[in-house]
Each structure stands twice: as C-alpha cells, then as structure tokens.
Amino acid sequence: MSTDSKYSTDSKYSTDNKYDAIVVGGGHNGLVAATYLAKAGKSVVLLESASELGGATTSVRPFPEYDARLSRYSYLVSLLPDQIVADLGINFKTLERSIASYTPYKKGGKDGGLLISQNWDARTAESFRELTGGDEEGKKWQEFYNEIAELAKRIAPYMLQPLKSAAELKSEIGLPEVWKFMMERPIGEVIQDRFQDDLVRGVVLTDALIGTFTSAQDLQANRCFLYHLIGNGTGQWRVPQGGMGAFVTELNRVALLNGVEINLNSHVTDIDSSSNGIAVSTASGDKYVATDLLFAGAPQTLAKLRGKNAPSSLDGSQMKINMLLSKLPRLKSGVDPKLAFAGTFHVNETYSQLEKAYQVAKLGDIPSDLPLEMYCHTLTDPTILSPELSQRGFHTLTLFGLHTPAALFDADPSGAKEAAKAAAISSLNQYLEDPIESVLAVCGDGSLAIEAKSPIDLDNDLGLPRGNIFHRDLDFPFIDGTESAPIKWGSETDDAHIFLAGAGARRGGGVSGIAGHNAAMAVLTKD
Ligand SMILES: Cc1cc2nc3c(=O)[nH]c(=O)nc-3n(C[C@H](O)[C@H](O)[C@H](O)COP(=O)(O)OP(=O)(O)OC[C@H]3O[C@@H](n4cnc5c(N)ncnc54)[C@H](O)[C@@H]3O)c2cc1C
C-alpha cells in the first residue's frame, strides 16, 4: 500500500486502505490494467464482485459429473495483441483451427456444404464451385479478404497507441478504398456489391452481427465487422488452449506476482471523487482510497454508481448454448463432422435469412429460422476434457445464436429462453443425420448436458447491461468528432481520476486486454 500523502483523509474512510490505483472488476481487462500498473511500480487493489475472477472469460464444469471444463461465455480469441501477452509474461497459447468455416445448405433437394479452409486451397475452391457453379465467387472472396488482411496488418498496432483522428489514421494506413468500405459505407451494401451468392454474402455478413442487434445497412454493423477482422493483425479467430479459464488463471498469476492485491466478493456500491482522488466502498462495508480509479465493469454501471446518466446502447442480442456430446453428430451432407465442426459452423446465415431474422426480432418475435454459429473446441484442443472422456469420443459444442435481443426475453425470461433454445435446436437439426439431442451426454438425473444463456442471464450473471457482450455499442478505433470531452486513450471520463478499463472503453469489446492496457497507459502518462 502507498504512503503517499496526497490521498484523501476523509474520516469516513480508513487510512489503511490507500493505493495508487483501485481497479474495479476482475474480468480479463481489469487484470491486465492492474498488472501493467503494478509492473510500473504502482500500488494496486483490484475489487471484484464475484467469488471468482474472469467475468465473461471463465471456464466452468457445468455438468459436474463430467470432467469437462467449458468456456462458458467467450470462447475464441482474435483481438488479444501478442504485445500484451509478452509484456505481462503470461504463458497462454491460442491454437489455429485448420478449418475456417462450414455452412450446410440444401440445393436442388440435395444436402451440401460450403467448406472453407483457414488458408485457401483446392478443397475450398472446389466447394465454392459446387455451391456457385463457377470460380468467380471464390476469386472475389480471396480478393476481399486479402484487402482486409492488409488493413488488419496496418491498423492493429494502432490499437495500443494514443487515438488518432479519423483523417490522420486513414492517411497513415494508406488504403483509402478499403478504409471507405470498412468505415464509411454500410457493410451490407459493400457485401451485396462484391458478392452474388446469398449464402456467401451471409457467411461474410455474420462477422458484422456478432452480439450486435442491427441491420446490415447500419454502420454499427461495420464497427462489429472491423473488430472481427483486424484482431492481432490477422483477424484469425483462434482456440484458447485449455479454454478461456486458462487465460484468466495466467492473468491472476502475473497480477499476484507483481503485487496486485485482489479482493473477491467485493461489490463496489459507492464511488466518491474529489480533487484529492477517489474513495470507494463495497457492499460489505470495506472502504478504499486511491489517486485513480480504473473501472473495468460496464460504463453504464459506472454511470449509475456516480449518479450520472448511463450512455445509451443497443440490447445484447445473442443466445449462448453450451453442450457436452458423447459423440459428434453425423451430417446429412455426408461431410466428416470432424471437418464441419472444427471451424465456425453457420446455420440460417444467408444474407437474406440474417436480414429477415433481424426484422422478425425487431417486431418482437424469436426468429424461427434462428441464425447461429457453432464450433467444437475439443477438435482443436482436447485438453479441456479428462483423458477418459477424450478417449470415449466426447466433445464439447458451443452455439452462439444471433438476433435474439434482450427485449424478447423481458416478459417471460424462462419461457422465451426455452423457445429460443428450441428454435436453435430445430435450426441445427435440419442439417443433422443424428439429431443433436441423440448425441448429448446424459447426466445422472437423466437431464441432457446442455445449458443456455440468454441476454437476461448475462446481465444477471455477469452484469453485462441488457446482455451486451461488449458492455456497450462498439466504436470505431479513432476520434470521430462525436466525443463530448477530449480523449487520448479512449479510457478517459469527465473525471480526471476515473478511467474506463473494460470492454466499454473505445477500442474495448471482446477478449483483447486492449482496454485494460490503454487505461493503464492513460494513468501512467497523464502527468
Ligand atoms: C456469451 C459470450 C460470448 C462471447 N464470445 C466471445 C468470443 O468468443 N471472443 C471474444 O473476443 N469475445 C467474446 N465475448 C465478449 C467478451 O467476452 C467481453 O467483451 C470481454 O470478456 C469483456 O471483458 P472485460 O474484462 O472488459 O469485462 P467483463 O468480463 O464483463 O468483466 C467485468 C467484471 O467486473 C465485475 N464488476 C462489475 N461491476 C462491479 C462492481 N460494481 N464491483 C465489483 N466488480 C464489478 C464483474 O463481476 C466482472 O467480473 C463474448 C461474451 C459473451 C457474454
């Protein structure tokens, strides 16, 4: 603890709990922020409401009799810069998936599927040919993603630097055409221009809609698209070895190693700020004071704690379903399920199905053709299963359903969750030879090894406002003139001692640690 005399000595706070910085929130961003500060010699306490660290990056054993640790919420990593891993010295690996995606379809009464390898190859070319009848769409696919790959390479380093204006960044990156279609023109329009096939268009579009309840024609979709394609300079979505929990275990280790004090079960209920610094109290009555506060929960929560108006944001819009399988299901198309489920498995995600699902959900109904994507962690990394389960052929399956905004669950949270789960299962089963229920592991009480999380659950379990997986709507990673106060790192608030360190900071969102890094840099460079 610091003995610095500039701390508040307000009599309602004990003079013992004085720090250079208080970090609120022990998700991955809070841990990253705390560790950067501690490494720079600051005294840091981290306060977390829950009894465990991790927030949306936890692994759990949801079906206790089975030794299978699933990434309960987030499950793939793209946005985490190598620089953060190296700076913090964490021993955490992500693994490449050999398959990028598989999208089953029915054509002329026959079942087929678009299989796309991680790196373009003859099998992928053939699969495009089978779907579209020629090579044109495949060529366009390669051109489009090559252009974006160049943007990713050039823009990624800027994520860990002070923000630039849109004009500065555009000119430094030097890809004006790509910039235009990624940042300025609705991505739906761009996709319709560049591709002809409804299914190919949809596979591209899904990256613009993850967790984001919007139409393809809205620039909010571009923001989501950008974050899904520039991660760590490659945009590749990789499998966290050992599951998401392995990341948090390592972050916890380096935080403690560098002297961060971590207090669990410490729900912050009050934040006071004065020119001397910050005073914080928790539900259990503990008090802490510090020069700076880094808030790594949602900005809406921070606003509430400070008695301010919360920033507006879209509802979270996804269902997460976790499953343990006794074996992989066979597909009607006859493709090997080890190929189909190794990458992202898309269902009901043609361009027109995605737009239709958005319109249906907007009118207040759960889309019956629920768009969803799935992947099997254990095909790339079996270490999350016990050797015995692995040997018996068990696998995990993760399902992420789109266009299920929180508003659909308000009136009857459990009834609507069951309805959305049923829509997801029947959407998937249309392509399976073995219905998914027939391959789910069976628990001792006869129940099936499947758990579903609606946006309302995410709000209740994790404090994600209205289930928004990015805390609030994503912003472009530059200063765009809409800011109400000057910002440098994207972490600043209207209080010189309070910083946003979680996903809701500019350039936050997703499993990246970027918001935590940038908030720590804002504190370390402010004087
Ligand atoms: C279902 C789901 C799937 C996702 N899939 C992916 C994916 O595959 N890849 C990806 O990159 N991203 C994914 N995301 C998004 C990503 O997980 C989050 O954006 C990211 O983990 C947020 O991290 P964070 O540390 O900023 O905040 P959080 O993980 O939300 O952690 C915030 C922490 O603050 C604590 N807290 C809040 N208020 C208080 C308070 N008053 N006092 C004390 N503590 C408090 C909370 O308990 C929580 O532990 C997914 C999210 C969800 C929910």
Side-chain angles (χ1 to χ4, degrees), residues 24-30 47-50 52-57 72-79 210 228 237 244 266-269 295-298 301 305 318-320 400 453 458 461-464 467-471 501-504 508-512 515:
V24 178
H28 80 289
N29 271 315
L47 306 174
E48 165 56 47
S49 296
E52 285 189 31
L53 293 169
T57 46
R72 176 168 263 169
Y73 305 106
S74 53
Y75 48 103
L76 288 170
V77 179
S78 170
L79 291 151
I210 302 296
H228 278 87
W237 286 89
M244 275 300 176
S266 298
H267 181 62
V268 170
T269 51
F295 195 83
T301 313
L305 287 170
Q318 65 293 309
M319 282 289 291
K320 172 89 193 292
F400 192 93
K453 298 282 180 190
L458 299 179
D461 298 353
L462 298 172
L464 299 179
N468 192 319
I469 67 170
F470 309 123
H471 289 181
V511 179
S512 71

Side-chain angles (χ1 to χ4, degrees), residues 245-256:
F247 181 39
V248 176
T249 302
E250 270 298 291
L251 287 174
N252 184 20
R253 182 183 68 78
V254 294
L256 294 174

